Amino acid sequence: MKRTAIKRRPLADTVLSKLEPEEKEYRESYGVDRLYFVVAPSGRKRWEVRYKKPATGRWAWMGLGTYPDVTAKVARASAQDVAEKVADGIDPVQQRREERSGDGRMADFAITAWQWLDHRVGEGHFVAETEYQARTMLKNDVIPVLGGIAVSQVTRADCVKVQRRIEKRGALNRAKKCRIWLQSIFDYAHSLGRCDENPAASLRVSSKSPKPAKPLPFLREAELPDYMKALRQSSSTPLVTTAAWVTLRTASRPGMVRWMHWSEVSLKNGAWHIPAEKMKSRRDHVVPLSRQVVELLKAVRPLAGEDGHVFPNRRARLSTREGADTPPVLSKSSINRCIELAGYRGRMTGHGARHTAKTLLSEHGWPRDWTEMQLAHSLPGLEATYNHANWFKQRALMMQWYCDYLDALEAGITDEQIEEFDAQVMMPGGQRFTP
């Protein structure tokens, strides 16, 4: 949602969640209490309140926290508290500094944890999906245990409590990720002089090991016709089903598909431009969109909206609960659930579509460089430093062939027709490409 579309204030929760970033950071008045909502170019949002310093009478700004961690209700209460302190001759920013004892050693763990997350996101270390996972883990698993303890006073036993809390639910992979992030938080605190040691450093020794990961299930060429027919009969919503089809036809990571944004998509040019900060490889990536994918996105646009995320979570749009952890896009399990409802539980997954595409394209002789770039895999060694080719035109040809071939498989195709199909592939410029 563009800020020019704001019609009334105070700003509603739906407006706060949908406001889009611009080239430069901007502030929007919330509508009361000199409270402002700030939107950064990265899409991160936070609260600020404007007040006059008692000593000088000059205007100043005070941060009140990030959104949605700090809700509008909490931000208003904080803004009113700031106004009361100023009326009593107290500078709230100066008071905050004094409460944190200068070096921050007596600041609550929660303060350092949120600052760590802001730092990781600001430096581009976390893509949107990872940021959401870290944010929900802090809110649900870590802050409830450690939040009120001074960061310099957190012990190994306290960290073990967090670990046991997660392991008790059987979420061993989540516990492993939490250990890694806890260590990173205390490393961050140590670098700022807020603690003398890392109490999470040895958690791995006492942890429960998750079961070895099984290879992701995927389908071979002969199994695809029945799968595609079953996917068309899935009882999932059109948004979710379309996301499953886009995952299959682009060989993109399901997480990237779920977080696709209309501002990244050019239906006219058949291209999806994903910025580096959203990519696992930390490199800008362009996904060619076949004719079939363009049609899928055109069909879903009336359901998704003209701007914002391509696959929004309707629960997030409608939810007004304080502290709700609903992501703004389809949930992590949505695409796999769609596949399960099609009858392919244990036989196929959203990520398995990448295995399927790589295998099928390789078996038909498409160049490895093109398939690896389509999968957005990092190049080995110095290749990543010196090789900036993205083979977009070639991959556009390859992925159009792939989607046409999927259609042919679903319709039914003979061995003779497969040979003819391969022979029809033409390189850009009119040269024939023989896989």
Side-chain angles (χ1 to χ4, degrees):
M1 174 181 179
K2 304 293 185 183
R3 58 171 168 162
T4 54
I6 296 174
K7 296 181 179 179
R8 58 184 178 181
R9 304 171 196 273
L11 303 179
D13 285 342
T14 52
V15 173
L16 298 176
S17 63
K18 292 172 65 177
L19 273 178
E20 295 180 8
E22 297 179 359
E23 186 176 350
K24 294 183 179 180
E25 182 176 275
Y26 66 88
R27 291 186 179 97
E28 276 296 323
S29 171
Y30 177 71
V32 292
D33 304 319
R34 290 178 181 154
L35 182 61
Y36 288 79
F37 194 65
V38 187
V39 182
S42 65
R44 296 185 60 253
K45 301 171 181 179
R46 68 181 188 275
W47 297 100
E48 289 185 354
V49 64
R50 198 176 187 212
Y51 74 99
K52 279 189 177 181
K53 288 180 170 292
T56 63
R58 294 183 177 179
W59 287 104
W61 294 96
M62 179 176 177
L64 301 180
T66 58
Y67 176 87
D69 300 311
V70 175
T71 63
K73 181 179 179 180
V74 173
R76 286 193 64 179
S78 298
Q80 292 167 3
D81 182 59
V82 167
E84 292 174 1
K85 288 178 178 178
V86 171
D88 291 336
I90 300 172
D91 186 327
V93 171
Q94 184 61 34
Q95 184 186 52
R96 176 187 285 178
R97 290 172 182 162
E98 293 172 357
E99 288 176 349
R100 293 181 181 178
S101 303
D103 61 2
R105 292 179 65 86
M106 297 310 295
D108 289 350
F109 169 86
I111 293 174
T112 298
W114 292 125
Q115 289 176 347
W116 164 83
L117 181 57
D118 288 344
H119 176 75
R120 298 294 289 178
V121 173
E123 291 296 313
H125 297 299
F126 282 175
V127 297
E129 175 76 8
T130 308
E131 178 188 356
Y132 171 73
Q133 290 177 1
R135 193 175 298 280
T136 54
M137 187 177 294
L138 286 176
K139 289 177 67 175
N140 299 334
D141 295 317
V142 182
I143 299 299
V145 179
L146 307 180
I149 306 175
V151 67
S152 61
Q153 302 300 315
V154 177
T155 66
R156 287 185 175 85
D158 293 326
C159 293
V160 169
K161 288 180 183 178
V162 176
Q163 178 174 276
R164 294 285 184 262
R165 175 190 176 101
I166 303 174
E167 290 178 342
K168 192 174 182 180
R169 305 198 305 263
L172 301 184
N173 285 317
R174 185 180 178 92
K176 178 180 178 181
K177 184 164 289 188
C178 186
R179 289 196 302 274
I180 294 172
W181 285 341
L182 270 178
Q183 291 179 40
S184 180
I185 291 170
F186 284 108
D187 282 343
Y188 174 76
H190 186 267
S191 71
L192 297 177
R194 297 182 182 179
C195 62
D196 297 322
E197 60 178 11
N198 191 325
S202 57
L203 284 180
R204 183 181 60 82
V205 179
S206 61
S207 66
K208 293 183 179 180
S209 300
K211 296 180 180 179
K214 296 180 180 179
L216 287 171
F218 71 99
L219 300 177
R220 303 300 289 257
E221 184 173 322
E223 301 171 289
L224 285 171
D226 288 341
Y227 169 68
M228 289 186 285
K229 292 173 183 176
L231 189 58
R232 294 191 187 281
Q233 303 301 318
S234 174
S235 59
S236 296
T237 65
L239 274 175
V240 177
T241 304
T242 301
W245 276 108
V246 172
T247 302
L248 175 67
R249 290 188 179 275
T250 63
S252 299
R253 293 182 176 90
M256 298 309 305
V257 172
R258 290 169 40 241
W259 287 89
M260 181 188 288
H261 199 279
W262 285 118
S263 63
E264 302 165 354
V265 177
S266 173
L267 297 179
K268 180 180 179 180
N269 297 321
W272 171 21
H273 297 259
I274 310 175
E277 58 266 23
K278 293 179 68 174
M279 291 299 301
K280 185 176 181 180
S281 63
R282 294 296 183 270
R283 291 180 58 169
D284 290 336
H285 185 58
V286 185
V287 179
L289 302 179
S290 66
R291 179 183 67 257
Q292 291 88 337
V293 174
V294 169
E295 290 303 316
L296 283 168
L297 296 178
K298 285 181 178 179
V300 83
R301 192 155 199 169
L303 299 175
E306 289 298 315
D307 50 22
H309 290 103
V310 179
F311 300 107
N313 188 332
R314 297 190 181 281
R315 288 179 58 198
R317 285 181 174 182
L318 300 174
S319 176
T320 57
R321 292 187 300 113
E322 295 289 339
D325 289 329
T326 308
V329 297
L330 296 180
S331 69
K332 189 176 181 179
S333 61
S334 58
I335 293 176
N336 284 344
R337 179 59 178 162
C338 174
I339 294 171
E340 291 175 0
L341 291 174
Y344 277 76
R345 179 172 186 152
R347 299 170 58 192
M348 181 61 163
T349 63
H351 200 89
R354 291 165 59 78
H355 295 248
T356 294
K358 173 68 175 179
T359 302
L360 189 151
L361 291 169
S362 297
E363 287 177 341
H364 284 268
W366 289 94
R368 181 179 183 277
D369 286 342
W370 301 3
T371 58
E372 286 295 284
M373 181 56 66
Q374 183 65 24
L375 296 174
H377 284 164
S378 298
L379 297 173
L382 291 177
E383 277 282 295
T385 302
Y386 293 103
N387 190 347
H388 298 283
N390 68 8
W391 297 288
F392 178 79
K393 291 183 179 179
Q394 294 89 334
R395 288 190 294 117
L397 173 71
M398 178 179 72
M399 295 311 293
Q400 186 59 61
W401 176 94
Y402 178 63
C403 289
D404 289 343
Y405 192 69
L406 289 179
D407 289 345
L409 287 174
E410 185 179 2
I413 187 171
T414 64
D415 292 342
E416 291 76 12
Q417 289 173 320
I418 291 176
E419 293 180 5
E420 294 175 3
F421 202 95
D422 286 343
Q424 293 173 0
V425 178
M426 299 293 290
M427 291 285 285
Q431 291 183 328
R432 185 177 297 280
F433 174 73
T434 305

